[in-house]
Amino acid sequence: MPDSDPLTSAAKTLHDHWQAGTKLSALPEAQRPRDRKSGYAVQAAMQPYTSGQVFGWKIAATSAAGQKHINVDGPLAGRLLAERVIADGGACPLGNNLMRVAEMEFAFRMAADLPPRAAPYTQDDVMGCVDTLHPAIEIPDSRYHDFTKVGLAQLVADNACAHRFVLGPAAPEGWRAVDLAAHPVRAFVNEEVAGEGSGSVVLGDPRIALTWLVNELSCHQMTLRAGEVVTTGTCVKPVAIEAGETISGDFGPLGRVAVTIKS
């Protein structure tokens, strides 16, 4: 019997497609969220269907180009599911992934909870609660056949196109003194340079993006918790991937991260 709560039903629909590797054109009309708030409610309702805790959060559409590509007017937050996290140097199944791209990202692991509050968090507030910085690779996907047409609310419900995630080792001590906006990042496919960029692509600075995420969660009465990881958006134009390739991100003295794509 279908769940009587339409948002819970939407969560099950999306998770069932995620598990099966199948796609849908859009959520059924009766299950469709209408705004960010109800989109995040679908995300929350998906949690009971997963096999582990939330690993952390991702930020989608942190550049003007990314927002234009998926037809939204600002960033979106999505949950990273622990069962979809791949060890650094591990293998990522490509399966029926329609996006078929890898994104090189700065990720932060939190040292303290940041609960909802009336006053916005400042960047200093947020950075004071960060434990470690990591190089990371996100391999996004959507449960929709055409994610560019379903609209903001359904994209939020779909975990903002979260799929697979690779967390590299913690950056050496001293990373806080680095200008992350100006810091260069390179993407490699089979050791050949496939793209270059910097942290400035990510809302101007990955620290700005992290602060946005904290305030987005706070606005919707959600807590960013100690131990969770936030990946802040791609610093390099998304790199096309195929089975058999090794994808790596070179963050210079801040570290390197890699993953092998399998069929």
Side-chain angles (χ1 to χ4, degrees):
M1 179 179 294
D3 197 299
S4 59
D5 177 357
L7 298 183
T8 302
S9 297
K12 186 175 189 308
T13 295
L14 288 168
H15 192 260
D16 285 351
H17 280 280
W18 205 349
Q19 291 296 92
T22 52
K23 309 291 179 184
L24 69 164
S25 296
L27 284 166
E29 183 68 28
Q31 297 179 7
R32 205 169 294 175
R34 305 301 174 186
D35 52 24
R36 280 181 184 263
K37 181 179 180 180
S38 54
Y40 287 128
V42 174
Q43 285 189 22
M46 200 181 297
Q47 183 62 34
Y49 298 109
T50 68
S51 63
Q53 295 299 310
V54 171
F55 183 80
W57 296 83
K58 65 159 287 182
I59 313 173
T62 50
S63 69
Q67 292 164 19
K68 182 178 180 181
H69 180 55
I70 61 174
N71 291 302
V72 297
D73 59 3
L76 316 173
R79 286 166 165 82
L80 297 173
L81 303 183
E83 66 212 64
R84 298 282 169 165
V85 176
I86 298 165
D88 182 25
C92 173
L94 191 57
N96 293 327
N97 189 315
L98 290 179
M99 291 186 174
R100 290 178 172 250
V101 296
E103 300 180 345
M104 310 300 126
E105 311 197 7
F106 286 103
F108 298 92
R109 188 183 291 277
M110 306 310 295
D113 289 359
L114 286 161
R117 71 182 195 186
Y121 285 94
T122 67
Q123 185 171 303
D124 286 345
D125 293 334
V126 172
M127 293 307 298
C129 292
V130 170
D131 184 9
T132 49
L133 173 72
H134 301 251
I137 298 174
E138 188 190 0
I139 301 173
D141 196 19
S142 175
R143 274 42 72 181
Y144 305 115
H145 288 297
D146 190 347
F147 54 89
T148 68
K149 294 181 178 179
V150 296
L152 181 146
Q154 289 196 83
L155 288 171
V156 172
D158 189 33
N159 266 329
C161 299
H163 188 51
R164 304 282 183 179
F165 179 68
V166 186
L167 186 69
E173 291 186 18
W175 65 264
R176 291 177 190 271
V178 175
D179 182 352
L180 298 183
H183 192 77
V185 177
R186 294 193 295 170
F188 290 81
V189 176
N190 295 333
E191 299 302 321
E192 296 290 332
V193 177
E196 299 182 358
S198 71
S200 64
V201 177
V202 184
L203 291 181
D205 189 310
R207 292 165 293 199
I208 294 174
L210 177 64
T211 305
W212 175 88
L213 182 280
V214 171
N215 285 314
E216 175 79 346
L217 297 187
S218 177
C219 179
H220 293 281
Q221 300 304 303
M222 294 183 283
T223 297
L224 178 59
R225 301 193 180 281
E228 291 183 343
V229 169
V230 177
T231 192
T232 52
T234 187
C235 300
V236 178
K237 182 179 179 180
V239 175
I241 57 175
E242 297 291 344
E245 295 176 336
T246 295
I247 311 300
S248 56
D250 184 355
F251 292 69
L254 298 181
R256 191 176 175 100
V257 60
V259 65
T260 297
I261 309 301
K262 66 178 186 179
S263 59

